[in-house]
Amino acid sequence: AQSVAQPEDQVNVAEGNPLTVKCTYSVSGNPYLFWYVQYPNRGLQFLLKYITGDNLVKGSYGFEAEFNKSQTSFHLKKPSALVSDSALYFCAVRDKTGGYNKLIFGAGTRLAVHP
Amino acid sequence: KAGVTQTPRYLIKTRGQQVTLSCSPISGHRSVSWYQQTPGQGLQFLFEYFSETQRNKGNFPGRFSGRQFSNSRSEMNVSTLELGDSALYLCASSPGTSGGDEQFFGPGTRLTVL
């Protein structure tokens, strides 16, 4: 079965420090991977995606993610965290058995950036 | 370009009633997907419509249904509401012609069932 795991419910980081939000996946074949962020009372905002090509993907708001096929991971990173980055982050993989737009989401990781 | 819009933003219903939620996708997008978000189950895929046809369906009971109109606007309907249907319902649009397309989400409709 295809799945996504976000092993940390919450990540705490001091402002200015680097941050990492972890994601591992299980899918047959080559995965299509996505990161989304959700602010309170808002929908999900797209951050970045990996489809093919360079393992390091750059996205919105200074975020990047590294695709690692051998470790089946797609961790989200940012070199210097901002308080305004505090939000709920979701990793997702496209369900290849379900057609184009069926995404399987991880449980989410709450990022708290402290001043 | 205007983003994805959902109406209404908030709804309060009682058990046994039915509800219809509406989603207007980004102009030019032909795919609309619906997701249910709850604290316990997280984000779960409901269904996807593309060019007025249901293309994918998640694992939800038949009380959950949807449709898409020729202008790509979509509605989802939940009949015989249960307490467990209380959730944030999100719709997302994309061009729909490539599995690599990112989906753009609306702000959601928060449904409370009493």
Side-chain angles (χ1 to χ4, degrees):
Chain A
Q2 299 176 92
S3 63
V4 174
Q6 294 181 244
E8 301 154 318
D9 290 338
Q10 178 150 333
V11 170
N12 296 296
V13 177
E15 188 175 30
N17 282 1
L19 69 87
T20 298
V21 182
K22 295 179 181 177
C23 171
T24 58
Y25 65 89
S26 173
V27 66
S28 56
N30 295 321
Y32 288 1
L33 294 157
F34 303 82
W35 275 102
Y36 286 86
V37 60
Q38 186 176 35
Y39 295 97
N41 300 315
R42 304 282 293 276
L44 276 65
Q45 293 180 33
F46 169 76
L47 284 177
L48 50 79
K49 66 182 179 183
Y50 173 82
I51 305 301
T52 186
D54 247 350
N55 289 343
L56 185 63
V57 178
K58 294 190 183 298
S60 307
Y61 314 118
F63 284 94
E64 57 190 28
E66 186 166 11
F67 171 67
N68 188 317
K69 189 170 184 177
S70 62
Q71 297 187 5
T72 61
S73 67
F74 189 54
H75 300 332
L76 182 70
K77 301 182 180 187
K78 188 174 183 183
S80 179
L82 300 172
V83 172
S84 57
D85 292 331
S86 299
L88 189 54
Y89 290 80
F90 290 96
C91 180
V93 65
R94 184 170 77 80
D95 182 346
K96 290 192 167 185
T97 66
Y100 281 169
N101 282 324
K102 182 179 180 181
L103 290 177
I104 299 170
F105 284 90
T109 298
R110 189 164 299 282
L111 174 66
V113 182
H114 305 286
Chain B
K1 241 182 195 180
V4 178
T5 58
Q6 292 186 245
T7 56
R9 291 292 311 277
Y10 301 91
L11 265 177
I12 299 176
K13 293 285 187 179
T14 56
R15 279 180 298 173
Q17 287 186 309
Q18 76 164 18
V19 67
T20 299
L21 313 182
S22 180
C23 173
S24 292
I26 290 171
S27 178
H29 285 186
R30 293 161 63 191
S31 167
V32 173
S33 299
W34 288 88
Y35 293 84
Q36 181 196 64
Q37 185 177 21
T38 59
Q41 299 299 316
L43 279 155
Q44 292 187 288
F45 173 82
L46 280 155
F47 30 64
E48 181 212 6
Y49 286 86
F50 179 80
S51 293
E52 303 180 65
T53 300
Q54 187 180 86
R55 190 161 65 172
N56 287 304
K57 190 177 188 306
N59 191 23
F60 279 82
R63 300 185 297 108
F64 291 81
S65 63
R67 60 178 175 168
Q68 187 179 33
F69 302 95
S70 58
N71 62 358
S72 293
R73 190 177 70 85
S74 177
E75 290 181 346
M76 68 164 280
N77 184 78
V78 188
S79 62
T80 320
L81 284 165
E82 301 178 0
L83 294 179
D85 297 334
S86 295
L88 181 66
Y89 290 89
L90 295 164
C91 85
S93 80
S94 77
T97 54
S98 166
D101 290 333
E102 59 267 31
Q103 295 179 50
F104 295 88
F105 284 79
T109 294
R110 176 140 334 255
L111 172 65
T112 302
V113 182
L114 302 176

